[in-house]
Amino acid sequence: MEQKYENYFVPEQSQWPIIGAVAMFFIAVGAGLTVMQVDSTASSGSYILYGGIGILIYMLFGWFKHVIEESQKGLYSAQMDRSFRQGMSWFIFSEVMFFLAFFGALFYARVLSVPWLGGASNNAMTYEVLWPNFEAVWPLLTTPGGDTTNAMGWQGLPLINTIILLTSSVTMHFAHVAMERDERLKLKMFLSLTVLLGVVFLGLQVEEYRHAYNDLNLTLQSGLYGNTFYLLTGFHGMHVTLGTLMLLIVLLRIFKGHLDSKQHFAFQAAAWYWHFVDVVWLCLFVFVYVL
């Protein structure tokens, strides 16, 4: 009896990974130069940063386009689908580890470093030498140089953004249900609403940063509190931006008639990622804003 084997598509060599690596290099260098104190360096750094972001967006759309074309040509087998699922699962796992590292740094600073510097464990003289008038409370609103800042409260924009992301998770779920039932109108409506909520979230986060800089004097020069605040919320905002782009591309594909109840892993992968960034924001809201 002849045994049937599954076809497995092997893609050709791609230029997109190296383009993505170049983009990330420019983003890292540009961001580093931008935050430096020298005005001329900061100006050139911003151009490098924006150039890197532009290359990254070009890479994302180009790479997505090639994968979409291969999928629409029917080149992918069930084994290829399993490979995509495993790849997306490992990618989200790596993102979990990424944020755990930053939450770990926040935990270390709040639970270990601040009490130790304030005189815990028979270390009463440390703060008098390193940081006069130091108070072992979080958030640290005074730097060793004497500059002061204000904490970002959880009310107002942070609470509104939390409600927006929680709502977007609900609309994402309804869109997923509609996809599985082949209800195209509901799918387009709920997915469009999810993308819109993501854009609104990003717009409000920009407004929150403006308020923090102008009204609260909360900047990257605001010591440990300012650095942890912007690192955690800023990297999360970057992930929301990527998630919104993924959902937008999936939405455009749906309007073109792509994806259905039997074959829609692109939609499912974007949904996984979106729920992931929502969970991360809940942790941020609790540990950065509330506690």
PDB file of all heavy atoms in Angstrom, residues 176-184 187 258-265:
ATOM      1  N   HIS A 176     -12.961  36.912  17.357  1.00  0.00           N
ATOM      2  CA  HIS A 176     -12.501  35.527  17.201  1.00  0.00           C
ATOM      3  C   HIS A 176     -13.687  34.580  17.058  1.00  0.00           C
ATOM      4  O   HIS A 176     -13.679  33.673  16.208  1.00  0.00           O
ATOM      5  CB  HIS A 176     -11.651  35.137  18.416  1.00  0.00           C
ATOM      6  CG  HIS A 176     -10.765  33.956  18.156  1.00  0.00           C
ATOM      7  ND1 HIS A 176      -9.766  33.572  19.008  1.00  0.00           N
ATOM      8  CD2 HIS A 176     -10.731  33.065  17.124  1.00  0.00           C
ATOM      9  CE1 HIS A 176      -9.150  32.512  18.528  1.00  0.00           C
ATOM     10  NE2 HIS A 176      -9.717  32.178  17.385  1.00  0.00           N
ATOM     11  N   VAL A 177     -14.707  34.780  17.883  1.00  0.00           N
ATOM     12  CA  VAL A 177     -15.918  33.958  17.780  1.00  0.00           C
ATOM     13  C   VAL A 177     -16.561  34.127  16.405  1.00  0.00           C
ATOM     14  O   VAL A 177     -16.990  33.147  15.772  1.00  0.00           O
ATOM     15  CB  VAL A 177     -16.910  34.321  18.903  1.00  0.00           C
ATOM     16  CG1 VAL A 177     -18.238  33.611  18.683  1.00  0.00           C
ATOM     17  CG2 VAL A 177     -16.337  33.959  20.274  1.00  0.00           C
ATOM     18  N   ALA A 178     -16.622  35.371  15.940  1.00  0.00           N
ATOM     19  CA  ALA A 178     -17.205  35.624  14.619  1.00  0.00           C
ATOM     20  C   ALA A 178     -16.391  34.959  13.514  1.00  0.00           C
ATOM     21  O   ALA A 178     -16.960  34.449  12.533  1.00  0.00           O
ATOM     22  CB  ALA A 178     -17.297  37.136  14.382  1.00  0.00           C
ATOM     23  N   MET A 179     -15.069  34.946  13.648  1.00  0.00           N
ATOM     24  CA  MET A 179     -14.214  34.279  12.667  1.00  0.00           C
ATOM     25  C   MET A 179     -14.523  32.785  12.610  1.00  0.00           C
ATOM     26  O   MET A 179     -14.664  32.195  11.535  1.00  0.00           O
ATOM     27  CB  MET A 179     -12.747  34.503  13.006  1.00  0.00           C
ATOM     28  CG  MET A 179     -11.767  33.659  12.212  1.00  0.00           C
ATOM     29  SD  MET A 179     -11.758  34.029  10.446  1.00  0.00           S
ATOM     30  CE  MET A 179     -10.703  35.477  10.431  1.00  0.00           C
ATOM     31  N   GLU A 180     -14.639  32.154  13.774  1.00  0.00           N
ATOM     32  CA  GLU A 180     -14.891  30.715  13.817  1.00  0.00           C
ATOM     33  C   GLU A 180     -16.267  30.363  13.270  1.00  0.00           C
ATOM     34  O   GLU A 180     -16.495  29.243  12.810  1.00  0.00           O
ATOM     35  CB  GLU A 180     -14.748  30.211  15.251  1.00  0.00           C
ATOM     36  CG  GLU A 180     -13.304  30.273  15.768  1.00  0.00           C
ATOM     37  CD  GLU A 180     -13.176  29.873  17.219  1.00  0.00           C
ATOM     38  OE1 GLU A 180     -14.210  29.899  17.933  1.00  0.00           O
ATOM     39  OE2 GLU A 180     -12.057  29.525  17.641  1.00  0.00           O
ATOM     40  N   ARG A 181     -17.205  31.312  13.307  1.00  0.00           N
ATOM     41  CA  ARG A 181     -18.561  31.078  12.781  1.00  0.00           C
ATOM     42  C   ARG A 181     -18.735  31.617  11.360  1.00  0.00           C
ATOM     43  O   ARG A 181     -19.841  31.550  10.814  1.00  0.00           O
ATOM     44  CB  ARG A 181     -19.585  31.729  13.706  1.00  0.00           C
ATOM     45  CG  ARG A 181     -19.623  31.133  15.109  1.00  0.00           C
ATOM     46  CD  ARG A 181     -20.609  31.877  15.990  1.00  0.00           C
ATOM     47  NE  ARG A 181     -20.676  31.296  17.329  1.00  0.00           N
ATOM     48  CZ  ARG A 181     -21.387  31.813  18.341  1.00  0.00           C
ATOM     49  NH1 ARG A 181     -22.114  32.923  18.151  1.00  0.00           N
ATOM     50  NH2 ARG A 181     -21.394  31.232  19.519  1.00  0.00           N
ATOM     51  N   ASP A 182     -17.677  32.169  10.784  1.00  0.00           N
ATOM     52  CA  ASP A 182     -17.732  32.762   9.446  1.00  0.00           C
ATOM     53  C   ASP A 182     -18.767  33.879   9.350  1.00  0.00           C
ATOM     54  O   ASP A 182     -19.430  34.060   8.312  1.00  0.00           O
ATOM     55  CB  ASP A 182     -18.045  31.692   8.383  1.00  0.00           C
ATOM     56  CG  ASP A 182     -16.767  31.059   7.851  1.00  0.00           C
ATOM     57  OD1 ASP A 182     -15.730  31.755   7.807  1.00  0.00           O
ATOM     58  OD2 ASP A 182     -16.792  29.863   7.496  1.00  0.00           O
ATOM     59  N   GLU A 183     -18.913  34.647  10.409  1.00  0.00           N
ATOM     60  CA  GLU A 183     -19.801  35.813  10.412  1.00  0.00           C
ATOM     61  C   GLU A 183     -18.958  37.040  10.041  1.00  0.00           C
ATOM     62  O   GLU A 183     -18.454  37.740  10.906  1.00  0.00           O
ATOM     63  CB  GLU A 183     -20.468  35.969  11.781  1.00  0.00           C
ATOM     64  CG  GLU A 183     -21.358  34.787  12.146  1.00  0.00           C
ATOM     65  CD  GLU A 183     -21.930  34.870  13.552  1.00  0.00           C
ATOM     66  OE1 GLU A 183     -21.420  35.681  14.360  1.00  0.00           O
ATOM     67  OE2 GLU A 183     -22.884  34.131  13.852  1.00  0.00           O
ATOM     68  N   ARG A 184     -18.834  37.292   8.761  1.00  0.00           N
ATOM     69  CA  ARG A 184     -17.879  38.266   8.255  1.00  0.00           C
ATOM     70  C   ARG A 184     -18.188  39.689   8.709  1.00  0.00           C
ATOM     71  O   ARG A 184     -17.274  40.455   9.029  1.00  0.00           O
ATOM     72  CB  ARG A 184     -17.833  38.220   6.728  1.00  0.00           C
ATOM     73  CG  ARG A 184     -17.573  36.858   6.131  1.00  0.00           C
ATOM     74  CD  ARG A 184     -16.212  36.334   6.445  1.00  0.00           C
ATOM     75  NE  ARG A 184     -15.152  37.078   5.736  1.00  0.00           N
ATOM     76  CZ  ARG A 184     -13.869  36.710   5.756  1.00  0.00           C
ATOM     77  NH1 ARG A 184     -13.485  35.648   6.453  1.00  0.00           N
ATOM     78  NH2 ARG A 184     -12.967  37.421   5.107  1.00  0.00           N
ATOM     79  N   LEU A 187     -17.246  40.054  12.298  1.00  0.00           N
ATOM     80  CA  LEU A 187     -15.788  39.974  12.370  1.00  0.00           C
ATOM     81  C   LEU A 187     -15.159  41.318  12.018  1.00  0.00           C
ATOM     82  O   LEU A 187     -14.282  41.823  12.737  1.00  0.00           O
ATOM     83  CB  LEU A 187     -15.293  38.883  11.422  1.00  0.00           C
ATOM     84  CG  LEU A 187     -13.782  38.793  11.190  1.00  0.00           C
ATOM     85  CD1 LEU A 187     -13.052  38.511  12.494  1.00  0.00           C
ATOM     86  CD2 LEU A 187     -13.478  37.709  10.150  1.00  0.00           C
ATOM     87  N   HIS A 258      -9.534  37.327   2.506  1.00  0.00           N
ATOM     88  CA  HIS A 258      -8.654  36.289   3.013  1.00  0.00           C
ATOM     89  C   HIS A 258      -9.182  35.737   4.334  1.00  0.00           C
ATOM     90  O   HIS A 258     -10.000  36.368   5.014  1.00  0.00           O
ATOM     91  CB  HIS A 258      -7.246  36.841   3.250  1.00  0.00           C
ATOM     92  CG  HIS A 258      -6.586  37.348   2.016  1.00  0.00           C
ATOM     93  ND1 HIS A 258      -5.298  37.842   1.987  1.00  0.00           N
ATOM     94  CD2 HIS A 258      -7.033  37.443   0.729  1.00  0.00           C
ATOM     95  CE1 HIS A 258      -4.985  38.220   0.771  1.00  0.00           C
ATOM     96  NE2 HIS A 258      -6.022  37.997  -0.015  1.00  0.00           N
ATOM     97  N   LEU A 259      -8.693  34.562   4.715  1.00  0.00           N
ATOM     98  CA  LEU A 259      -8.959  33.921   6.000  1.00  0.00           C
ATOM     99  C   LEU A 259     -10.422  33.495   6.128  1.00  0.00           C
ATOM    100  O   LEU A 259     -11.329  34.206   5.696  1.00  0.00           O
ATOM    101  CB  LEU A 259      -8.582  34.841   7.171  1.00  0.00           C
ATOM    102  CG  LEU A 259      -7.176  35.452   7.147  1.00  0.00           C
ATOM    103  CD1 LEU A 259      -6.981  36.404   8.328  1.00  0.00           C
ATOM    104  CD2 LEU A 259      -6.118  34.359   7.148  1.00  0.00           C
ATOM    105  N   ASP A 260     -10.616  32.342   6.728  1.00  0.00           N
ATOM    106  CA  ASP A 260     -11.962  31.844   6.996  1.00  0.00           C
ATOM    107  C   ASP A 260     -11.932  30.997   8.244  1.00  0.00           C
ATOM    108  O   ASP A 260     -10.903  30.909   8.935  1.00  0.00           O
ATOM    109  CB  ASP A 260     -12.505  31.045   5.792  1.00  0.00           C
ATOM    110  CG  ASP A 260     -11.577  29.920   5.370  1.00  0.00           C
ATOM    111  OD1 ASP A 260     -10.951  29.302   6.262  1.00  0.00           O
ATOM    112  OD2 ASP A 260     -11.464  29.657   4.162  1.00  0.00           O
ATOM    113  N   SER A 261     -13.050  30.346   8.551  1.00  0.00           N
ATOM    114  CA  SER A 261     -13.140  29.588   9.798  1.00  0.00           C
ATOM    115  C   SER A 261     -12.193  28.395   9.837  1.00  0.00           C
ATOM    116  O   SER A 261     -11.811  27.936  10.913  1.00  0.00           O
ATOM    117  CB  SER A 261     -14.581  29.095  10.004  1.00  0.00           C
ATOM    118  OG  SER A 261     -14.996  28.275   8.920  1.00  0.00           O
ATOM    119  N   LYS A 262     -11.791  27.880   8.673  1.00  0.00           N
ATOM    120  CA  LYS A 262     -10.917  26.713   8.637  1.00  0.00           C
ATOM    121  C   LYS A 262      -9.443  27.085   8.588  1.00  0.00           C
ATOM    122  O   LYS A 262      -8.585  26.297   9.012  1.00  0.00           O
ATOM    123  CB  LYS A 262     -11.266  25.851   7.416  1.00  0.00           C
ATOM    124  CG  LYS A 262     -12.674  25.266   7.468  1.00  0.00           C
ATOM    125  CD  LYS A 262     -12.963  24.437   6.240  1.00  0.00           C
ATOM    126  CE  LYS A 262     -14.378  23.842   6.302  1.00  0.00           C
ATOM    127  NZ  LYS A 262     -14.693  23.050   5.095  1.00  0.00           N
ATOM    128  N   GLN A 263      -9.115  28.246   8.063  1.00  0.00           N
ATOM    129  CA  GLN A 263      -7.715  28.646   7.919  1.00  0.00           C
ATOM    130  C   GLN A 263      -7.577  30.114   8.303  1.00  0.00           C
ATOM    131  O   GLN A 263      -7.833  31.006   7.504  1.00  0.00           O
ATOM    132  CB  GLN A 263      -7.241  28.431   6.478  1.00  0.00           C
ATOM    133  CG  GLN A 263      -5.749  28.695   6.279  1.00  0.00           C
ATOM    134  CD  GLN A 263      -5.317  28.428   4.848  1.00  0.00           C
ATOM    135  OE1 GLN A 263      -6.130  28.098   3.991  1.00  0.00           O
ATOM    136  NE2 GLN A 263      -4.025  28.564   4.596  1.00  0.00           N
ATOM    137  N   HIS A 264      -7.157  30.355   9.550  1.00  0.00           N
ATOM    138  CA  HIS A 264      -7.058  31.746  10.011  1.00  0.00           C
ATOM    139  C   HIS A 264      -5.992  31.901  11.100  1.00  0.00           C
ATOM    140  O   HIS A 264      -6.185  32.651  12.048  1.00  0.00           O
ATOM    141  CB  HIS A 264      -8.419  32.218  10.540  1.00  0.00           C
ATOM    142  CG  HIS A 264      -8.948  31.402  11.693  1.00  0.00           C
ATOM    143  ND1 HIS A 264      -9.792  30.344  11.510  1.00  0.00           N
ATOM    144  CD2 HIS A 264      -8.760  31.493  13.026  1.00  0.00           C
ATOM    145  CE1 HIS A 264     -10.107  29.817  12.675  1.00  0.00           C
ATOM    146  NE2 HIS A 264      -9.482  30.512  13.622  1.00  0.00           N
ATOM    147  N   PHE A 265      -4.863  31.193  10.953  1.00  0.00           N
ATOM    148  CA  PHE A 265      -3.873  31.295  12.029  1.00  0.00           C
ATOM    149  C   PHE A 265      -3.281  32.702  12.124  1.00  0.00           C
ATOM    150  O   PHE A 265      -2.904  33.146  13.207  1.00  0.00           O
ATOM    151  CB  PHE A 265      -2.737  30.284  11.861  1.00  0.00           C
ATOM    152  CG  PHE A 265      -1.704  30.426  12.940  1.00  0.00           C
ATOM    153  CD1 PHE A 265      -2.010  30.116  14.257  1.00  0.00           C
ATOM    154  CD2 PHE A 265      -0.434  30.937  12.651  1.00  0.00           C
ATOM    155  CE1 PHE A 265      -1.074  30.280  15.279  1.00  0.00           C
ATOM    156  CE2 PHE A 265       0.500  31.108  13.662  1.00  0.00           C
ATOM    157  CZ  PHE A 265       0.186  30.774  14.978  1.00  0.00           C
TER     158      PHE A 265
END
